[in-house]
Amino acid sequence: MQDASVGWIAAIIIGGLAGWAAKTFMKSNTGLIVNIILGIVGASLASFIFSLFGVTFAGGFGYLISGFIGACILIWLGRLIRS
């Protein structure tokens, strides 16, 4: 998310919200730090995947949506690996 124009503080806050929303949606048991990491890494992952299809998200709301989708993917992959 290099061009997202979201600062580091905003990325942490939005990443935390996206990770929390994904945790709630996927019924996962993660803490605050993991939620932030899931949201930030998830946003990068989802942005990469969507860019392959020509879809881009910009700004805080786009970062939140891509973070949520990416965090859900990461939680799903974590469950798949643990099984």
Side-chain angles (χ1 to χ4, degrees):
M1 302 239 4
Q2 299 156 341
D3 300 332
S5 69
V6 176
W8 282 104
I9 301 295
I12 291 171
I13 293 169
I14 296 170
L17 289 173
W20 172 81
K23 172 188 94 158
T24 304
F25 181 73
M26 299 290 288
K27 294 178 178 62
S28 179
N29 187 18
T30 58
L32 177 65
I33 301 299
V34 174
N35 287 345
I36 293 170
I37 293 169
L38 281 173
I40 293 172
V41 173
S44 298
L45 173 69
S47 293
F48 172 74
I49 292 170
F50 287 131
S51 71
L52 296 175
F53 297 104
V55 178
T56 59
F57 294 110
F61 186 70
Y63 193 88
L64 180 66
I65 296 298
S66 62
F68 171 75
I69 293 169
C72 286
I73 291 170
L74 290 173
I75 291 170
W76 176 74
L77 285 173
R79 287 180 180 169
L80 190 65
I81 291 171
R82 284 189 223 154
S83 296

